[in-house]
Each structure stands twice: as C-alpha cells, then as structure tokens.
Amino acid sequence: MDVLKELEEFRKKDIPYTRVLGSMCTTPHPIAIRAHEMFIETNLGDPGIFRGTFELERKLVRLLGEILHNPNACGYVTSGGTEGNIQAIRAFRNLKGIDRPNVIVPKSAHFSFDKVGDLLGVEVRKAELDEEFKVDVSSVESMIDDRTVGIVGIAGTTELGQVDPIKELSKMAIDNDVFLHVDAAFGGLVIPFMDEPMDFDFKLRGVSSITVDPHKMGMATIPAGGLLFREEKFLKALEVRTPYITTKYQWTLTGTRPGTGVASAYAVLRHLGFEGMRKVVRRCLKLTEVVKEEMESLGFETVIEPVMNVVCFKTEHAYEIREELMRRRWVVSAIENPKAIRLVIMPHVTEDIVREFVSEVRDVMSKLSVEP
Ligand code: 0PR
C-alpha cells in the first residue's frame, strides 16, 4: 500500500474540528499554513544558521509584548503553555536562590503546574478559590512565607475561562517581594481583543512573566506557545552554555525547536491585525452567548456567567453525556468540581455547528432519560 494512503487511513480516524467543542486548539488560519510550509525545515535550536527565523522570533516576541503592554518584553516561542509555565517558575527559582522554594498557584491551575513541582523541586501550594472560582487572595497571602519565590494568577482558567484578580495579586507580589507569573495561555490572545479588557498583563507592575499561546486563540500551527518576561534578567537566569553550536548560550527548555510556530503565529497576527483579531474574538464571544441560550432552553444552567469563550453547564450526568456524545463523534469535556460539561467556542465553531450540536445533546438526554 502506498504510504500516503496508509497515513490517510490513520488521519481518517481523527475527529474533525467541526465536531470538537471541547478543545483550546483550532484549525490553523490559512495564512498560518502557508507560513508553516515556508519554514518547515527551520530549527531555532541553532539560530546562527536560521538567522532570519531567529530575527522573526524576536519580532513576534515584540508584537506579543505590544499586545501585553510591554513592547520591551523578552522571551521566546515555546512548545506550549506547559513549557512556558515550567520555565517561568524555573527562572523565579534560579533568581531567588532560596533553599526548599515554594510557589503558590490557584487550585484552578492547569495540570502543568504539577509537572513544575515534580521537575523543579519547587513545592507547589494550591490556594483556595472564591465562589466565582477566582483565586481567593487572602488564601494566597496566608500561604506566602520566606521560601516563596513566586505566585501565579490565571487569565482564562482551563476549565471555566475565569480570570483571577491579577491586580490584587500584582500588589501582593510587590508588597511581599515575590515574582508574579500570569498563565494567560488561553486568555492572553482573548482579553486584549475584548471590548472591555480587564487588567491582567505587564500594565500591572508586579507581573514578571506571562504565558500566552498562539496555538490556542492565535490560530497558529502547533507547536506555538509563548513565554514573555518583563526584563532580560529572567531569561539570563535560564541560560546554559552551548559550547559547540553557533551561539554561546541557550535559554529554552528544548534544544532543537521548530520555526514553524514563529512564522505561523506572526503571519496570523500581522495578516489579521489587531482589528481582525478583535473580530475573531467578538465572533467567538457572541457564539458563546448563543450556545448558552440554546443550552439553557434545554434546562441547563451555567457554572459561571461566561467570561470568555469557555462555558460550562452544570449536570450530575456530565460524564455519561460526554461518553454518549463521544460515541456519536462529538467532543466536549467534562469537569469534576462542580460536575459540568465544558465547551470551548473556538474560531472553527460556527452557528450551524452549534445548532447541530445542541440538537444532538437534546437527543442524548432523551436517550439516557436524564435531566440536566
Ligand atoms: N495553561 C492553561 C491555562 C491551559 O489551559 C493550558 C492547556 C496550558 C497552560 C498548557 O498548554 P499546552 O497544552 O500548550 O502545554 N489547556 C488545554 C486544556 O487542557 C490544552 C488542550 C488543548 C487540551 C486542546 C486538549 C485539546 O484538545 O484544555
């Protein structure tokens, strides 16, 4: 059998994005695919060879910095939010140089922070949430001690799309002389394009670093994550010597790394411009409202009023509903606390998809004979 035919067989088993309402990734923008193809062989692990690609990465970092209110931010394009979070905490740990260090993250933090604890030998303390599922700032404060190197706030939580009170966390970071990392892997390319953006980025003096992933709402090809620091000292804290390649130091976690994400992310942001991104975000937010109304008409209630294009519906039967939807090749996620099904309304979702999905949910509920 022709190998391409064989590949096609495997690819056919994947579920197309048109039936996925539970993912923070999406179909890349057409310009991203073109850019990706142009940079297919590039390796940013050796910037002395791929000089242009490296220069482009600096331009993309600057552009992301502009979006996040600090054009002088420095950083690099990561393999995704996990690497961004690991490297931010690694920089904090290295700069502080405290024995048996700890960081404080909200209970709602992405599971990548469990990897942070395991890999870095940093104790990860989990702060309580308030009734709106934002981190409870008094809980964070009560956990800070003289071994705390940093605190973490989330702008767009994985499960609910909630935004922590970053302004308060920023003040707390300054008052306690600890670093503040904002995990805006998802929200970092949503909030800046909302009609009334909340404060979450470098505009706040206490924010030292931000994770912001173009392979989520930036419609770039995977992998394209971003890690930005307020100043260069954080990057310096990550450097290792690289004696035999074209550059002397490397601050990334991975060695060989693709330039495709850099090119595709840059292409989308430049091609659409801020106005184009605003349109994309506005459309996703509007469609989230449509989904909410349609699901409410089936008797569902949201866990919180959606803050961004993530919406969760309470139901005791979340896992059964998800399983039955899966059997019908629809993908949503289910969350545990509170039990709910979670939808992420990414740019690939259309009004037709939403209507088809809701009618499938109606059918599933009647087949399982359950109420929300
Ligand atoms: N921080 C936050 C707030 C996230 O939501 C995520 C991923 C990460 C960090 C880690 O990012 P990487 O996965 O890029 O390392 N959130 C998504 C989630 O867990 C990842 C995802 C995306 C999962 C698409 C499934 C999927 O189909 O939902």
Side-chain angles (χ1 to χ4, degrees), residues 17 20 22-25 79-85 108-113 115 154-159 183-187 211 213 215-216 225 331 333 342 344:
Y17 270 120
V20 177
S23 166
M24 286 186 161
C25 291
S79 56
T82 302
E83 180 178 344
N85 291 339
S108 52
H110 183 258
F111 52 76
S112 46
F113 286 98
K115 303 181 188 177
I154 309 167
T157 58
T158 307
E159 294 191 335
D183 182 356
F186 185 75
T211 291
D213 289 350
H215 70 201
K216 296 188 169 74
V331 182
S333 22
R342 163 187 176 262
V344 188

Side-chain angles (χ1 to χ4, degrees), residues 100-104 117 120-125 145:
R100 285 186 287 124
N102 67 67
V103 290
I104 301 154
L120 299 180
V122 174
E123 181 197 345
V124 177
R125 300 180 172 173
D145 62 21

